[in-house]
Amino acid sequence: MREYLEIEGGYPLRGEIPVSGAKNAVLPALAATLLAPGTYRFTNWPRLLDLCTMLELLERLGARVESRGEILEVDTSSVEGVEAPYELVRRMRASILVLGPLVARFGRARVALPGGCPIGKRPVDFHLRGLERLGARIEIRHGYILARAERGLSGAEIVFNVPSVTATENLLMAAVLARGRTEIRNAAREPEVVFLGEMLRAMGARIEGLGTDHIVVYGCSGLEPPREPLRIIPDRIEAGTYLMLPGITGGEITLLAAEPRHLETPILRLREAGLEIEAEGQRLYARARGPLAPLEIVTAPYPGFPTDLQAQIMVLMTQARGLSFITENLFEKRFQHVFELRRMGAEIDLDDRTAVVRGPVRLQGAEVEASDLRASACLVLAALGAEGISRIYGLEHLDRGYERMEAKLSALGARIVRKTHEERETLGPCGPGARG
Ligand code: EPZ
């Protein structure tokens, strides 16, 4: 049975929309619970498929997981396992975030090598070379990463060719238990990396340079779970996704529990396009203020324009007057959504890493298939602004990163409902058992 979203587009959206805790902050934070035995507590955690996968992985390793209303509790006192199996890693690449903590704490780890994904080949060489710099021995055997450091890890200087979010996070976690000083140069500066660093500090780690491209870690023993529950930071990509709505559907929305400081570049660019955006504390107000102007967008590591908002701003630019140019610099295949948007009437040409979007066009509702998480979000945006009915398949991608999306959008007046598609039994030569 396949679920799909059925959306009737063309209605201006109005009202308040709460922002959930950040997927890309809670995942490394959960991995960090492996660094020291004890009970960890989190609030504002998002109910997402990826979070469930990470919790399943922690339980496989021996952790006890419990949610008590607002509080998510993880007790890693009896963790002994050191293996992240293929079935979980293939479901979620971020499972690789347990590699650093497991090697640092137990001296060994066996983690399935993540494959590619719809947006690119997604290598993990920075993770593995960095752990080797810290003294781990790395082997790849039968599709698994085998990492060993029986005598523990030792501080080192690590340099990334380009900033990598999860590689910075993995090595940050490994370095806090390594003997001596570690420097990470060309480190990622994302707010989610800073959040992880602050959690490690709350556990007793000594870290300098969080939020810059040069992080220094002084390894120590005796880390403990933070004394207070940790509140997961707001999801800036979910917030940025919804902030674009008024430019696509008309109307006006207010985001609640957002963190405008994490969205400075996207807000600047949306204002340039002609959206009226006001930030007040943790509220973000957005309204379309007349015709939109085209933009030139180039994705870059934080604080540049996020690659995770590239598909979404492409939909917005179908409503702008003129030609927009969107260049994707991080992932070599992150334009899968272009082919589905074209089926909705969008006029988009691809030239290597740049998409040229001609607007404004009236998008038409259609049946479309999401290929990855942010592509699924962009198809929802397009359907909300399109004329007529759309059906969006591939919800397993959407549910990984957007909590209660249809409920949040319905509250703004969107005509959106989740349905199940009865798969008809195929008969004749392709029916069950027909091929013997
Ligand atoms: C993180 O992925 C995010 N995921 C991604 O969000 C996000 O798109 C990406 O950072 C970029 O911001 C999580 O945080 C769980 P990278 P990550 O390592 O860490 C190259 C979403 O939709 N690279 O920062 O895997 C890589 O090819 C997801 O929520 C290497 O060459 O991305 C890319 O060009 C999608 N070798 C660049 O670095 C490595 O070992 C940045 O990738 C690692 C990365």
Side-chain angles (χ1 to χ4, degrees):
M1 298 220 273
R2 289 193 76 199
E3 285 190 316
Y4 61 92
L5 285 180
E6 187 164 277
I7 296 174
E8 183 187 357
Y11 296 89
L13 301 183
R14 287 190 174 76
E16 295 184 337
I17 186 163
V19 177
S20 300
K23 165 177 90 78
N24 292 348
V26 71
L27 295 177
L30 288 172
T33 65
L34 294 167
L35 285 166
T39 299
Y40 297 74
R41 293 183 183 82
F42 302 97
T43 61
N44 196 39
W45 49 283
R47 279 70 170 170
L48 296 170
L49 274 184
D50 273 5
L51 177 122
C52 298
T53 303
M54 183 59 88
L55 293 177
E56 186 179 340
L57 175 51
L58 291 179
E59 287 180 314
R60 292 276 188 98
L61 295 169
R64 182 186 56 76
V65 170
E66 199 167 343
S67 68
R68 296 204 178 117
E70 256 307 288
I71 301 255
L72 173 64
E73 200 171 84
V74 178
D75 180 352
T76 58
S77 311
S78 18
V79 165
E80 286 167 356
V82 291
E83 173 157 336
Y86 176 67
E87 63 177 292
L88 292 181
V89 175
R90 66 186 288 275
R91 212 191 298 167
M92 184 187 66
R93 308 176 40 73
S95 310
I96 192 162
L97 285 167
V98 303
L99 179 63
L102 289 175
V103 178
R105 167 115 180 262
F106 297 104
R108 60 198 176 88
R110 184 170 185 269
V111 175
L113 188 63
C117 76
I119 64 175
K121 57 180 183 303
R122 312 291 296 277
V124 291
D125 52 319
F126 295 1
H127 300 243
L128 305 183
R129 298 297 77 78
L131 285 172
E132 285 176 333
R133 293 279 300 146
L134 294 174
R137 286 194 325 287
I138 302 281
E139 273 184 90
I140 307 283
R141 301 278 299 278
H142 306 293
Y144 275 76
I145 302 163
L146 304 175
R148 290 187 177 290
E150 288 84 357
R151 288 186 302 283
L153 298 173
S154 309
E157 186 164 355
I158 295 164
V159 186
F160 291 139
N161 292 338
V162 292
S164 158
V165 174
T166 48
T168 301
E169 291 166 344
N170 234 336
L171 295 164
L172 191 52
M173 290 188 279
V176 296
L177 290 186
R179 279 180 303 278
R181 187 172 184 273
T182 295
E183 294 194 43
I184 305 176
R185 295 182 184 280
N186 212 4
R189 302 167 53 187
E190 273 72 359
E192 294 78 25
V193 176
V194 174
F195 176 76
L196 172 66
E198 285 164 357
M199 171 181 175
L200 296 172
R201 278 180 176 154
M203 292 168 64
R206 242 187 87 202
I207 305 171
E208 292 165 4
L210 286 174
T212 75
D213 63 359
H214 181 202
I215 297 176
V216 180
V217 183
Y218 299 88
C220 63
S221 55
L223 295 184
E224 292 179 343
R227 264 187 276 284
E228 299 301 319
L230 280 181
R231 179 175 178 74
I232 303 298
I233 56 172
D235 193 315
R236 62 190 167 95
I237 303 302
E238 182 197 24
T241 302
Y242 294 138
L243 212 50
M244 299 185 200
L245 278 169
I248 297 165
T249 64
E252 53 190 63
I253 63 166
T254 302
L255 296 183
L256 307 176
E259 180 43 85
R261 282 176 306 139
H262 295 163
L263 280 161
E264 283 180 2
T265 299
I267 289 171
L268 273 177
R269 305 313 312 272
L270 294 179
R271 283 178 175 150
E272 224 180 291
L275 282 178
E276 187 179 301
I277 296 177
E278 297 306 323
E280 198 186 299
Q282 295 220 296
R283 296 166 73 90
L284 258 174
Y285 166 85
R287 180 167 71 104
R289 199 187 45 191
L292 297 178
L295 296 175
E296 289 203 26
I297 295 284
V298 177
T299 65
Y302 193 88
F305 191 89
T307 172
D308 292 349
L309 288 177
Q310 177 256 105
Q312 298 91 315
I313 201 155
M314 189 179 288
V315 178
L316 185 69
M317 290 297 104
T318 66
Q319 306 308 303
R321 282 191 173 171
L323 287 183
S324 296
F325 298 83
I326 300 173
T327 299
E328 172 52 61
N329 278 330
L330 278 87
F331 297 114
E332 69 276 17
K333 279 173 52 188
R334 202 169 201 171
F335 281 144
Q336 304 301 309
H337 44 281
V338 168
F339 309 106
E340 295 302 280
L341 291 176
R342 282 177 180 161
R343 297 184 54 247
M344 299 179 78
E347 292 178 26
I348 307 170
D349 291 323
L350 286 180
D351 172 16
D352 192 22
R353 289 200 163 216
T354 297
V356 183
V357 185
R358 177 187 303 279
V361 295
R362 187 86 177 91
L363 296 174
Q364 301 126 35
E367 291 191 287
V368 288
E369 181 86 33
S371 51
D372 58 84
L373 167 54
R374 305 306 172 182
S376 52
C378 106
L379 294 174
V380 173
L381 295 182
L384 290 167
E387 187 180 352
I389 305 280
S390 296
R391 288 185 169 180
I392 300 172
Y393 294 92
L395 299 193
E396 64 278 12
H397 299 293
L398 188 73
D399 295 337
R400 290 186 48 206
Y402 287 88
E403 185 181 35
R404 298 184 310 110
M405 187 180 229
E406 56 262 38
K408 293 184 179 183
L409 291 172
S410 300
L412 300 177
R415 289 340 186 241
I416 178 170
V417 63
R418 187 178 287 239
K419 294 188 169 181
T420 304
H421 186 77
E422 302 297 327
E423 299 284 10
R424 276 184 292 282
E425 280 292 294
T426 48
L427 304 175
C430 302
R435 288 187 294 283

